[in-house]
Amino acid sequence: MPFSLPQRRLIYLLTGVLVLSLVSFRTEWFWQMGGIGVWLYGLAIPAGLVLVSYCVLACLGQCGFVGVLLLVFAEVAFVGLGLGVIWMQPRHPPGLHFIKNVYTEVHNTTQYDTNLSHFDPELGYLYKASIRSGFGNWEFGPNEFHTNTLGLRDDEASAKDPVIIALGDSFTTGWGVEQHETYAQRLEELTKVKVLNGGVSSFGTVREALLLKKLPRDSCRLLIVQYCYNDLAENKKWADALLAGKQYQPSFDQENFYRRQLQNAAGYQYVPFKYTFEIGKKAAKFLFLKPGDHDPFARHGANKPQDHVQYFFRGIKLIRQFYRGNIVVISTSNSLKADTEFIQTAQSHADSSSFRNLHFLNVAGTFKDQDNYVVDGHNTASGHLSIARQLFTFIQKHNLLTQPNTKPSLSLQ
């Protein structure tokens, strides 16, 4: 017996709800299928939304195509809003916190971009060596992204006998700026000595220390360590493993890293009605979940500066096992309050402990609005230039490139 028209509409509606439920709550199912899963994920979003919007209006006795038309209008409005923010760069647009949360779901990342990074069994991932590629997101790019034989975003000359090494995450890598605009490159131009950009996106202090151990250090007279407020969780995880006498292994193997790459590709690709779907999904989380369960910015701000400092110094102690030179610590989290509190608390901790030749510079204190992207939050070219100039002045004031390396080695314990 054939289904009646209302029954067919109800079946289509439930099918659309099922499809949207899969892309909302069972995304891992798509990544388990490999590359085809990315294609199916991209197909499921518009298919599910069209089925639901059409059938809801039809079940209410209205023209189903009106629902699809409303869906088109919503997508155009959301895309237009995003383009407006990108083009006009208003410093405090309404709903900025919510926009940033949506952006975290759909932006590209260097660490999971298949053109830029590869799996590393010890560090989780590293940039591919000797590549020439590009990287971009909503507010910038694609910027040139070149690496040397060390797999770092710098030229080959800087990889040989560097005098200064800059460690950090995406802020040091230069996420959002051209190769020649990173603060490491600007500092090299100011100091006239080789500066190696050792930044790798999302690396915390402990993992940066493990990376430093692999880099040429004999010529290094100054180490710059850049902190970010989202380093805490990783620092704690890696430091606790090292303190327990274990060789830390990344929380994912090569297969899971590949799935993260697929997830990144699916999130970054555009498909019809993508932003309507992502905004609706994130709005539901804001309505029904606690901020700590879905809001990365709320999680990062929930910890006290002392918590960050405690595990940051575990990383510094690890560095001191194989590097005795001067260290300058900066903090860039796109939050003047958080960065200032971290630098002040870390300075106090160092002053009351046995740390020598450890210096702290609050670079965020002089940032202007144009020094950070509005939505992305990373430093713009002017922000990197500001960091480089402050570092150069600080290095000159304290003669950090001329002082002998006399710091003793410390145990991680």
Side-chain angles (χ1 to χ4, degrees):
M1 180 177 180
F3 293 107
S4 65
L5 180 59
Q7 289 175 327
R8 291 200 300 272
R9 288 173 175 172
L10 181 60
I11 291 173
Y12 295 151
L13 175 61
L14 294 176
T15 300
V17 171
L18 175 62
V19 169
L20 293 179
S21 298
L22 287 175
V23 294
S24 298
F25 305 110
R26 288 292 181 266
T27 54
E28 69 279 0
W29 181 76
F30 292 93
W31 321 140
Q32 291 171 358
M33 293 187 291
I36 193 174
V38 176
W39 180 81
L40 288 174
Y41 181 87
L43 176 64
I45 291 175
L49 287 176
V50 168
L51 282 172
V52 170
S53 60
Y54 181 93
C55 294
V56 166
L57 267 292
C59 290
L60 294 175
Q62 306 296 320
C63 177
F65 288 106
V66 173
V68 178
L69 190 60
L70 291 174
L71 193 60
V72 173
F73 284 156
E75 184 72 1
V76 170
F78 292 140
V79 172
L81 175 63
L83 291 175
V85 171
I86 294 170
W87 178 259
M88 299 178 65
Q89 287 285 289
R91 302 323 301 177
H92 304 288
L96 179 59
H97 185 83
F98 180 79
I99 295 173
K100 286 185 174 183
N101 264 269
V102 174
Y103 176 70
T104 61
E105 302 291 335
V106 299
H107 73 311
N108 191 17
T109 64
T110 59
Q111 61 266 35
Y112 298 125
D113 188 319
T114 55
N115 295 318
L116 304 181
S117 301
H118 68 94
F119 176 74
D120 182 87
E122 182 179 357
L123 296 175
Y125 47 79
L126 284 171
Y127 298 139
K128 294 179 178 179
S130 304
I131 60 170
R132 300 181 67 87
S133 188
F135 177 73
N137 268 307
W138 284 7
E139 296 171 276
F140 59 84
N143 301 132
E144 60 176 345
F145 199 103
H146 305 162
T147 63
N148 53 32
T149 53
L150 296 175
L152 299 176
R153 193 190 182 197
D154 211 330
D155 55 33
E156 196 60 35
S158 298
K160 298 176 181 178
D161 301 321
V163 177
I164 301 174
I165 299 178
L167 296 178
D169 54 22
S170 52
F171 283 88
T172 295
T173 292
W175 174 304
V177 300
E178 296 291 352
Q179 195 95 352
H180 66 277
E181 294 173 330
T182 66
Y183 78 76
Q185 182 60 38
R186 295 297 195 189
L187 185 61
E188 182 173 280
E189 296 167 0
L190 292 169
T191 59
K192 310 300 182 185
V193 301
K194 290 184 180 180
V195 180
L196 177 61
N197 186 345
V200 181
S201 292
S202 88
F203 270 30
T205 316
V206 177
R207 193 157 40 154
E208 290 160 11
L210 298 176
L211 172 64
L212 177 64
K213 196 172 183 180
K214 299 173 176 288
L215 302 181
R217 306 183 305 276
D218 291 344
S219 58
C220 183
R221 283 184 281 159
L222 176 63
L223 184 66
I224 299 169
V225 179
Q226 170 255 317
Y227 188 77
C228 183
Y229 240 52
N230 61 12
D231 288 351
L232 175 59
E234 177 182 307
N235 279 349
K236 185 178 186 304
K237 190 173 185 178
W238 287 66
D240 287 349
L242 291 170
L243 284 170
K246 302 177 182 178
Q247 181 178 0
Y248 182 81
Q249 296 294 326
S251 58
F252 50 86
D253 55 19
Q254 189 163 6
E255 181 180 351
N256 286 325
F257 176 76
Y258 173 61
R259 291 177 182 175
R260 295 186 185 205
Q261 288 183 313
L262 295 175
Q263 184 176 0
N264 180 70
Y268 185 56
Q269 72 174 352
Y270 181 78
V271 296
F273 315 126
K274 170 184 178 176
Y275 293 114
T276 300
F277 170 74
E278 293 293 347
I279 289 172
K281 184 173 68 173
K282 182 58 72 171
K285 290 180 178 179
F286 267 84
L287 287 173
F288 300 110
L289 298 178
K290 297 179 180 179
D293 294 333
H294 72 89
D295 185 350
F297 305 102
R299 291 196 296 269
H300 297 159
N303 301 100
K304 298 178 181 178
Q306 292 83 355
D307 299 327
H308 292 266
V309 168
Q310 174 187 358
Y311 286 98
F312 168 77
F313 272 93
R314 299 280 177 86
I316 294 297
K317 288 181 178 180
L318 179 57
I319 289 174
R320 283 307 187 203
Q321 292 185 2
F322 46 83
Y323 173 77
R324 301 188 177 199
N326 290 303
I327 298 177
V328 175
V329 179
I330 63 175
S331 181
T332 54
S333 308
N334 193 22
S335 169
L336 174 59
K337 180 177 182 294
D339 290 328
T340 301
E341 287 180 345
F342 173 80
I343 291 296
Q344 291 175 344
T345 306
Q347 175 75 75
S348 298
H349 180 84
D351 291 342
S352 62
S353 304
S354 58
F355 291 94
R356 299 169 54 198
N357 294 350
L358 187 59
H359 308 270
F360 297 87
L361 174 62
N362 184 17
V363 295
T366 61
F367 281 165
K368 298 179 176 60
D369 285 342
Q370 65 267 25
D371 291 338
N372 292 88
Y373 289 106
V374 174
V375 177
D376 182 90
H378 285 86
N379 295 119
T380 61
S382 64
H384 278 267
L385 182 58
S386 174
I387 294 173
R389 286 173 173 171
Q390 292 180 74
L391 282 169
F392 177 63
T393 301
F394 191 82
I395 291 168
Q396 284 190 313
K397 178 181 178 180
H398 297 279
N399 297 316
L400 297 183
L401 291 179
T402 59
Q403 291 181 354
N405 297 336
T406 57
K407 180 177 280 290
S409 175
L410 296 178
S411 168
L412 184 62
Q413 301 293 336

